[in-house]
Amino acid sequence: MRSILIFFLLIFFFGRANGQDSLIDKELDEVIIFSNKFAERKKNVVQKIDVVTARQIAAANAQNTGDLLTNTGNVFVQKSQQGGSSPVIRGFEASRVLLVIDGIRMNNAIYRSGHLQNVITVDQNMLERIEVLYGPSSTIYGSDALGGVVHMRTKIPALSSSAKNKITGSALTRYSSANQEKTAHFDISIGGRKFGWLQSYNFSDFDDMRAGNRALQGTYIFLRPTYVTSINGIDSIVNNEDERVQKFSGYSQWDITQKFLYKPNNRLSHLLNLQYSNSSDVPRYDRLQDMRNGRLRYAEWYYGPQLRQLAAYEMNAEETGYFNSIKAILSYQHIEESRHQREYRRYDRLDNRFEKLNVAALTLDARKMYGAHEITLGADGQWNDVRSTAHREDMQTGAVSPLDTRYPNGKNRMSYQGVYAQHIFKWGMGKWVLNDGIRLQSTNMRSTIADNSIFNFPFTEISQDHKALTGNIGIVYMPRTALRFTLGLSSGFRSPNIDDAAKIFESNTASAQLIVPNENIRPERTYNADLGFGYSGEKLKMEASGFYTRFTNAIALAPFRFNGQDSITYNGSRVRVFANQNINEAYLYGFHASIQVDPHKRVRIHSTLNYTHGRLRQPGKQEVPLDHIPPVYGKTSARYATAKFQVEAYALYNGWKKIADYHPSGEDNAQYATKDGTPPWTTVNLKTAWQVSSLFSLQAGLENIFDRNYRHFGSGFTSAGRNLVLALRAAF
């Protein structure tokens, strides 16, 4: 109630002080999207797509790209540590959601099915828009796009329309109290008539996160009572002076982007896109809470610096030859990841595992428009090369010994190749729009074990070759300008990657599971039906969509026999053996609903609600919950904006995730929840922005005003408590 009162007082004060027009976005059916490879009006696409604009990105003022997605109220995000964010779309997560940056696949051969943090390697302060596609998107994007696609587009150099160079840019400095965040960003673009250059730098430093103080449901609270530290060179478990401070959750990150644009005429452009992202060590906070024999298990568990390098050349041509538009992207990515862990007072074994990945890719797309028809043709390929190494270090003697690698220690290569056609046909004075498409995809994987002495696997090579035919068909019906109905059918597939088929990994410390390779798994497939409704009036806008997905050959962890045994000795402990296997079938269904009311040109009220239900079907067994299924979640906000001032009061909320709805052995992380599951939570938040001058703007926000102590479902990391966020922006 206090925050609502503050909100209306601000409306009253600034409404009297400033009488200029609203800055509230005018978007909806006229939004141009790029997720169909070429610009297309959103209203003509059957698939549900959300667009997050540059203005909305700036207004969210988020810590990273994962938090930015959370702030939309439509994408659920899991976190295992502060330096992590794993988007969930329609009950699919990690390797089953495709991440795309500037038209280039980020997903690679070692994207895991558990939880990922790769999305935070994209600098949200360099994004001009995000487009989120819901449901299977394999026709255009190929493997991995089962739940949907998060397509992120970064800024490009701005060219001049006169003989004088055009200089634009922005700068940002931000502080957050809950984790003592210190972020600085600067970008500049210099453009002539034909040539443009853009450069950006971003640095963020985050201290340990402070959780909220107020318990959920009166009793549920997540604290950090003890932690392991070194005293005179000896691991010691000490009491935390402030149990709300999540010791060893801080990290830092830096991002650099450079682009060169050459546009000799209005029909042709060439773009060189260089991106660099790196971080400090990132503590794996959830694992640092693990217990064994009544005490903390790990003295150290952290990810090494997460390096992502991208070099890409993009060519765009208009009205050339037979096609109206042609696009080609040639790219190369270099990724480095590592994992480091040491158990309490085990100075003789600091385990270090390293992955280096090189990825080359080529995409070719062309669009032809004739009459009421639009057809897009494309071909693409991605080639992955993975090198996995490991060693164990004795911290007292400095001795280094061999260690089992996360992936086979020989050659690991995987390739994706595909061709597709996508068609749009408009008729009936634009009231009807047909979407249809088809894709043929091929994947190949070769993985070899050069040294088989540690586990003595009954094989030394894993080889897979798969082909898939997928498609989509749907209808848009717009009887009136403000009214829209959609019906769509689509299929998707995901080919097992090196992480699925060849990984060795201790998955669940609570029940001592070891994942071993399984060369016999097959591609996952989905068959999806979507039904949508939209109304877009002057003062009222509503949207609702429902979906049903049949998920076949679903890959999930299940008990496995290795060399005839159901358990083996690993790291000095007896552990049960599990492997990724094709569970017979799963199904999911759910809905999304949103309503927006504009009672005044300066006021907007908006609310979203999302629900997903998923179950695994296994022959002769009772259905069990599918993992990665979030509880009911959404966002409700009220925003007031003038030309110089904006204020938004909003609530983010999640419903109950009962422990009975957790997957019994999947990636839901029941050990980091309460005995009853993940309790429901609501945070009340307030954000303001003031345009001080034509150059500077000031943002201030108070997040989680009532200081709730809560976790997102599936997360081993507690979200921020009451958090004051201050930012100063400059734009020129």
Side-chain angles (χ1 to χ4, degrees):
M1 291 299 296
R2 286 178 293 177
S3 63
I4 296 174
L5 177 61
I6 293 171
F7 169 68
F8 282 107
L9 285 173
L10 287 169
I11 288 179
F12 175 78
F13 177 79
F14 284 96
R16 292 173 61 89
N18 195 323
Q20 299 188 48
D21 291 337
S22 168
L23 284 181
I24 291 177
D25 295 332
K26 306 295 183 182
E27 40 187 80
L28 299 167
D29 63 333
E30 294 304 307
V31 170
I32 302 297
I33 63 174
F34 294 87
S35 296
N36 271 26
K37 299 291 188 172
F38 297 99
E40 182 61 62
R41 296 196 182 280
K42 183 179 175 182
K43 67 179 182 180
N44 293 329
V45 179
V46 171
Q47 189 173 18
K48 173 175 166 52
I49 300 177
D50 284 340
V51 179
V52 186
T53 65
R55 179 175 292 170
Q56 292 167 336
I57 292 170
N61 197 24
Q63 173 176 304
N64 58 42
T65 307
D67 291 340
L68 174 60
L69 292 170
T70 298
N71 195 71
T72 67
N74 289 327
V75 179
F76 186 87
V77 177
Q78 182 274 353
K79 283 193 176 187
S80 296
Q81 62 275 338
Q82 185 175 188
S85 287
S86 190
V88 181
I89 301 178
R90 289 189 172 181
F92 291 95
E93 186 186 352
S95 58
R96 293 164 177 157
V97 170
L98 183 64
L99 303 181
V100 179
I101 179 74
D102 294 329
I104 301 160
R105 288 172 55 100
M106 292 180 65
N107 290 44
N108 55 54
I110 61 171
Y111 262 39
R112 55 190 178 274
S113 59
H115 310 297
L116 291 172
Q117 63 266 16
N118 302 69
V119 73
I120 71 168
T121 66
V122 176
D123 176 13
Q124 81 277 12
N125 295 309
M126 269 298 289
L127 292 174
E128 65 175 13
R129 68 194 290 117
I130 298 178
E131 295 170 4
V132 182
L133 290 73
Y134 297 86
S137 307
S138 291
T139 302
I140 290 181
Y141 289 99
S143 180
D144 301 357
L146 295 182
V149 176
V150 179
H151 193 151
M152 297 162 282
R153 297 183 61 87
T154 58
K155 301 174 185 178
I156 63 172
L159 299 182
S160 175
S161 58
S162 66
K164 185 178 179 180
N165 286 339
K166 182 177 183 178
I167 301 176
T168 59
S170 66
L172 163 72
T173 179
R174 182 175 58 238
Y175 166 81
S176 298
S177 64
N179 57 358
Q180 301 299 305
E181 175 199 359
K182 294 168 281 292
T183 291
H185 172 87
F186 175 76
D187 65 78
I188 185 171
S189 171
I190 302 175
R193 285 182 177 270
K194 296 183 178 181
F195 181 80
W197 168 77
L198 181 147
Q199 183 78 49
S200 83
Y201 301 93
N202 193 89
F203 175 77
S204 295
D205 180 75
F206 308 102
D207 205 344
D208 295 335
M209 178 69 77
R210 180 186 296 273
N213 191 43
R214 295 188 62 186
L216 296 169
Q217 302 287 306
T219 56
Y220 301 108
I221 192 164
F222 301 98
L223 298 172
R224 177 82 147 124
T226 59
Y227 62 91
V228 177
T229 189
S230 179
I231 300 177
N232 297 324
I234 299 175
D235 291 339
S236 303
I237 298 175
V238 300
N239 293 326
N240 194 355
E241 292 182 0
D242 186 343
E243 294 184 344
R244 293 184 301 151
V245 175
Q246 299 177 84
K247 295 291 289 186
F248 310 120
S249 62
Y251 75 105
S252 58
Q253 180 175 325
W254 46 98
D255 304 274
I256 302 172
T257 302
Q258 189 173 59
K259 292 188 177 183
F260 300 92
L261 174 64
Y262 175 57
K263 192 172 183 179
N265 54 59
N266 290 331
R267 296 188 300 173
L268 183 65
S269 68
H270 305 273
L271 179 68
L272 180 62
N273 183 356
L274 305 174
Q275 298 178 17
Y276 174 90
S277 177
N278 205 355
S279 71
S280 65
D281 293 339
V282 180
R284 178 73 185 266
Y285 180 78
D286 58 349
R287 289 300 181 91
L288 293 176
Q289 303 171 78
D290 287 348
M291 306 290 290
R292 173 177 282 182
N293 300 325
R295 68 184 184 193
L296 292 171
R297 177 179 179 181
Y298 291 106
E300 299 179 74
W301 211 127
Y302 60 93
Y303 292 109
Q306 182 164 288
L307 173 68
R308 181 180 70 88
Q309 295 173 304
L310 167 69
Y313 161 74
E314 178 179 334
M315 184 273 292
N316 285 276
E318 302 291 333
E319 303 300 335
T320 175
Y322 177 76
F323 293 102
N324 298 95
S325 302
I326 296 177
K327 177 184 293 184
I329 302 176
L330 178 65
S331 66
Y332 167 78
Q333 298 178 73
H334 177 74
I335 297 117
E336 294 186 12
E337 300 177 357
S338 61
R339 294 162 177 80
H340 311 264
Q341 61 190 72
R342 182 177 65 83
E343 294 186 341
Y344 181 69
R345 292 192 176 178
R346 289 306 304 263
Y347 311 108
D348 59 327
R349 57 184 202 190
L350 172 61
D351 292 349
N352 306 276
R353 293 178 172 88
F354 304 86
E355 273 68 57
K356 292 185 178 181
L357 179 67
N358 295 302
V359 185
L362 174 66
T363 64
L364 298 170
D365 303 287
R367 180 171 66 173
K368 175 66 177 178
M369 305 174 67
Y370 52 98
H373 298 268
E374 300 176 18
I375 186 166
T376 302
L377 302 174
D380 52 64
Q382 186 193 61
W383 298 270
N384 295 254
D385 183 86
V386 181
R387 185 186 177 201
S388 188
T389 59
H391 67 266
R392 174 170 288 170
E393 179 182 352
D394 188 318
M395 299 179 64
Q396 295 175 323
T397 66
V400 175
S401 58
L403 183 68
D404 54 292
T405 54
R406 183 174 173 87
Y407 304 111
N409 49 30
K411 294 181 179 179
N412 297 283
R413 292 174 180 170
M414 186 168 187
S415 63
Y416 304 79
Q417 302 83 216
V419 292
Y420 77 92
Q422 183 72 40
H423 171 241
I424 292 179
F425 172 48
K426 307 166 193 173
W427 80 95
M429 303 295 292
K431 292 184 177 181
W432 294 88
V433 183
L434 170 69
N435 291 199
D436 58 291
I438 191 169
R439 180 186 186 92
L440 177 63
Q441 178 84 28
S442 171
T443 60
N444 314 93
M445 186 185 74
R446 301 288 184 275
S447 189
T448 60
I449 301 171
D451 182 357
N452 198 23
S453 62
I454 295 179
F455 284 102
N456 294 313
F457 289 121
F459 49 83
T460 58
E461 179 175 309
I462 298 174
S463 176
Q464 292 195 342
D465 296 282
H466 299 293
K467 292 181 174 58
L469 188 67
T470 56
N472 66 280
I473 186 168
I475 288 287
V476 180
Y477 175 52
M478 294 174 283
R480 299 199 306 270
T481 303
L483 202 56
R484 183 173 179 267
F485 299 92
T486 61
L487 174 63
L489 302 174
S490 58
S491 62
F493 93 104
R494 189 182 77 86
S495 189
N497 61 19
I498 292 172
D499 186 87
D500 294 306
K503 176 176 63 178
I504 304 169
F505 180 53
E506 188 179 9
S507 172
N508 188 322
T509 58
S511 56
Q513 298 174 1
L514 179 71
I515 300 172
V516 299
N518 179 11
E519 60 180 345
N520 297 315
I521 52 177
R522 306 181 305 279
E524 300 176 313
R525 293 179 180 272
T526 55
Y527 304 90
N528 187 79
D530 268 274
L531 184 65
F533 160 79
Y535 173 79
S536 180
E538 183 178 352
K539 301 281 187 181
L540 174 66
K541 297 174 178 64
M542 296 183 296
E543 183 181 68
S545 61
F547 71 92
Y548 179 87
T549 301
R550 181 170 172 254
F551 188 14
T552 64
N553 287 341
I555 297 173
L557 285 177
F560 192 70
R561 299 189 73 84
F562 176 69
N563 287 340
Q565 297 182 318
D566 61 6
S567 62
I568 63 174
T569 300
Y570 179 76
N571 270 347
S573 301
R574 196 69 180 173
V575 296
R576 295 181 63 196
V577 177
F578 279 68
N580 282 317
Q581 301 173 61
N582 293 102
I583 301 300
N584 185 39
E585 184 178 339
Y587 66 90
L588 305 94
Y589 60 81
F591 70 84
H592 159 81
S594 67
I595 184 170
Q596 178 177 300
V597 181
D598 296 340
H600 186 274
K601 66 180 181 179
R602 299 176 190 161
V603 178
R604 171 167 293 173
I605 300 170
H606 186 258
S607 187
T608 69
L609 189 67
N610 301 272
Y611 170 78
T612 306
H613 176 89
R615 289 292 184 269
L616 281 171
R617 291 173 175 164
Q618 298 172 288
K621 296 182 180 180
Q622 186 177 2
E623 291 183 355
V624 298
L626 187 64
D627 48 359
H628 305 286
I629 306 296
V632 173
Y633 66 96
K635 176 183 179 180
T636 297
S637 67
R639 183 158 57 117
Y640 176 82
T642 70
K644 291 189 175 182
F645 179 78
Q646 177 175 299
V647 59
E648 180 183 20
Y650 64 96
L652 294 169
Y653 37 84
N654 276 212
W656 256 112
K657 180 72 175 185
K658 295 287 188 179
I659 199 70
D661 292 324
Y662 277 60
H663 188 285
S665 60
E667 297 286 350
D668 286 347
N669 291 333
Q671 71 271 28
Y672 302 129
T674 73
K675 62 181 179 60
D676 299 312
T678 302
W681 55 265
T682 300
T683 63
V684 178
N685 314 271
L686 187 69
K687 289 187 177 181
T688 63
W690 177 33
Q691 191 70 41
V692 180
S693 67
S694 59
L695 179 62
F696 293 104
S697 63
L698 179 65
Q699 291 177 282
L702 191 59
E703 300 173 342
N704 193 2
I705 292 173
F706 297 120
D707 205 24
R708 295 293 186 187
N709 181 291
Y710 70 100
R711 283 182 179 176
H712 287 75
F713 155 69
S715 300
F717 179 73
T718 309
S719 298
R722 185 181 295 117
N723 186 28
L724 175 65
V725 183
L726 300 173
L728 177 64
R729 292 180 182 268
F732 55 90

